[in-house]
Amino acid sequence: MEYRKIKDEDDDGGTVSDDIENLRGTGFPGVASVSNVPPREQAKWKRKTIVTLALTFLTSSQAILIVWSKRAGKYEYSVTTANFMVETLKCALSLAALARIWKSEGVTDDNRLSTTLDEVIVYPIPALLYLVKNLLQYYIFAYVDAPGYQILKNLNIISTGVLYRIILKKKLSEIQWAAFILLCAGCTTAQLNSRSDQVLQTPLPGWIMAIVMALLSGFAGVYTEAIIKKRPSRNINVQNFWLYIFGMAFNAVAILIQDFVAVMNKGFFHGYSIITTLMILNHALSGIAVSMVMKYADNIVKVYSTSVAMLLTAVVSVFLFGFNLTLAFFLGATVVSVSVYLHSAGKLQR
């Protein structure tokens, strides 16, 4: 009977179909309809979300792979050759992406590799900074353990915020500065345990390396973002290609200076394992994800993504290593979530 009634109403006046048409394109009160959002903005938001989530996942697994790549507490492979392979793989992936674009869209002024000296001369600076920072990432474990490293690593959050203001001339609101402080407190609290007094007992060389890493990471990240966004229409893969070319050159020099004898006697890939290969792949994809975030978001998003990844690493460690979640972890995770919200709110109030 209900079906007959509806069918009759539809036959008489088309009320059902009319109602459906009237509802099409409308949304709930106070909620923006997806159909009202321009397709270009939807694609931009989707791309930004994908690269940010990818960076979070890759950063979360990065620390685990570095620890697994060690044997008997030390690296049997050459860290300089590993860094060189990371830059080489990133360069190859950028070329592969460009080849696909050239095939589908053709060669244009924005995606061609040929460039001017003024454009390419700025890339050696961040490439050299990333080289030093990436090498320190391995050697700092001689002075600190994993929890201590995670705590000291948060120094780059403050350095990034300060350099973001100085270099890019972008004003951060008071709420965003408060969010930075909360993020540092939250990430630090999440890593504390019952022996936190021992975790903070880091020798002076460890503190110096951590501070240098924070400054290098912050300056290189913000400087790279400034380069990438200086010419927004320039294809990101072209910009990556030149950055990685200089990265390969600097890493090749590092091999000659530090590990030339070992490489000649034992071979370039001596000490490599499956875990080492996965670590190199992870580092390469992480680097590309970082550049994508800088292109379509900003370096602050990168900082929050990597900070959240630190908490995600702890969650994954519960299943892999039997890590015990403590009250400090839950409190820290809560503070980080609040800081992320405040940072977003601070953007709207600038």
Side-chain angles (χ1 to χ4, degrees):
M1 295 298 293
E2 292 296 331
Y3 169 77
R4 183 182 298 277
K5 182 179 178 180
I6 294 175
K7 185 69 171 61
D8 292 340
E9 290 179 354
D10 187 46
D11 292 338
D12 293 339
T15 57
V16 174
S17 59
D18 291 342
D19 289 342
I20 293 176
E21 290 298 324
N22 291 333
L23 289 174
R24 194 184 306 274
T26 63
F28 293 103
V31 179
S33 174
V34 175
S35 60
N36 294 332
V37 180
R40 185 175 180 180
E41 290 298 321
Q42 292 184 31
K44 182 178 179 180
W45 179 86
K46 182 179 180 180
R47 183 170 49 198
K48 182 187 295 186
T49 302
I50 291 175
V51 296
T52 304
L53 291 176
L55 179 61
T56 303
F57 170 77
L58 291 169
T59 307
S60 301
S61 55
Q62 193 173 90
I64 296 175
L65 290 173
I66 291 178
V67 173
W68 276 356
S69 69
K70 299 175 69 174
R71 296 178 182 175
K74 63 179 182 179
Y75 306 106
E76 292 191 358
Y77 57 90
S78 168
V79 295
T80 55
T81 62
N83 272 336
F84 180 84
M85 291 304 302
V86 169
E87 298 300 317
T88 303
L89 181 56
K90 288 191 292 187
C91 189
L93 291 174
S94 297
L95 281 177
L98 277 174
R100 183 178 179 182
I101 293 174
W102 292 335
K103 184 177 181 180
S104 60
E105 302 177 6
V107 179
T108 64
D109 290 337
D110 290 327
N111 64 26
R112 67 174 71 249
L113 284 179
S114 59
T115 182
T116 62
L117 180 62
D118 291 337
E119 181 181 2
V120 78
I121 199 65
V122 296
Y123 288 105
I125 298 176
L128 181 60
L129 294 175
Y130 279 125
L131 166 67
V132 180
K133 180 258 180 183
N134 290 335
L135 291 179
L136 287 177
Q137 179 179 245
Y138 292 97
Y139 297 128
I140 194 173
F141 284 101
Y143 301 99
V144 300
D145 54 14
Y149 171 73
Q150 293 286 16
I151 291 176
L152 297 176
K153 182 180 176 183
N154 294 307
L155 293 172
N156 78 323
I157 298 174
I158 297 298
S159 66
T160 299
V162 174
L163 293 170
Y164 196 80
R165 174 68 178 92
I166 296 175
I167 297 178
L168 296 183
K169 306 297 183 182
K170 293 186 178 181
K171 184 179 179 181
L172 299 177
S173 66
E174 294 181 358
I175 293 180
Q176 287 181 298
W177 283 113
F180 276 130
I181 297 174
L182 281 178
L183 182 60
C184 287
C187 292
T188 301
T189 302
Q191 293 297 320
L192 296 178
N193 54 37
S194 59
R195 296 180 298 174
S196 60
D197 56 330
Q198 298 181 7
V199 171
L200 298 178
Q201 291 179 358
T202 302
L204 182 60
W207 279 101
I208 294 176
M209 293 177 68
I211 294 174
V212 172
M213 284 183 61
L215 293 174
L216 290 173
S217 178
F219 185 79
V222 175
Y223 189 85
T224 303
E225 180 181 339
I227 295 174
I228 290 176
K229 291 188 175 180
K230 185 177 181 179
R231 185 178 172 182
S233 61
R234 190 65 155 151
N235 188 280
I236 183 64
N237 295 293
V238 175
Q239 295 170 317
N240 282 342
F241 172 82
W242 287 110
L243 178 63
Y244 302 148
I245 282 292
F246 285 104
M248 291 172 59
F250 286 131
N251 276 280
V253 173
I255 294 174
L256 293 175
I257 296 175
Q258 182 173 327
D259 295 320
F260 178 75
V261 176
V263 169
M264 293 300 295
N265 293 334
K266 300 180 181 179
F268 191 90
F269 298 104
H270 174 75
Y272 277 51
S273 63
I274 297 179
I275 300 300
T276 308
T277 304
L278 291 176
M279 183 196 69
I280 292 174
L281 178 62
N282 176 280
H283 277 70
L285 294 177
S286 296
I288 293 178
V290 167
S291 64
M292 296 290 285
V293 168
M294 291 180 183
K295 182 75 171 183
Y296 303 112
D298 56 44
N299 197 54
I300 303 294
V301 172
K302 186 198 76 171
V303 171
Y304 276 97
S305 178
T306 53
S307 298
V308 173
M310 185 189 69
L311 302 179
L312 184 60
T313 300
V315 175
V316 174
S317 297
V318 172
F319 304 98
L320 295 181
F321 310 115
F323 177 76
N324 294 322
L325 293 179
T326 62
L327 177 61
F329 172 81
F330 285 110
L331 291 176
T334 301
V335 173
V336 168
S337 300
V338 172
S339 70
V340 171
Y341 170 79
L342 288 177
H343 176 260
S344 301
K347 272 189 174 182
L348 300 177
Q349 297 184 15
R350 283 192 301 183

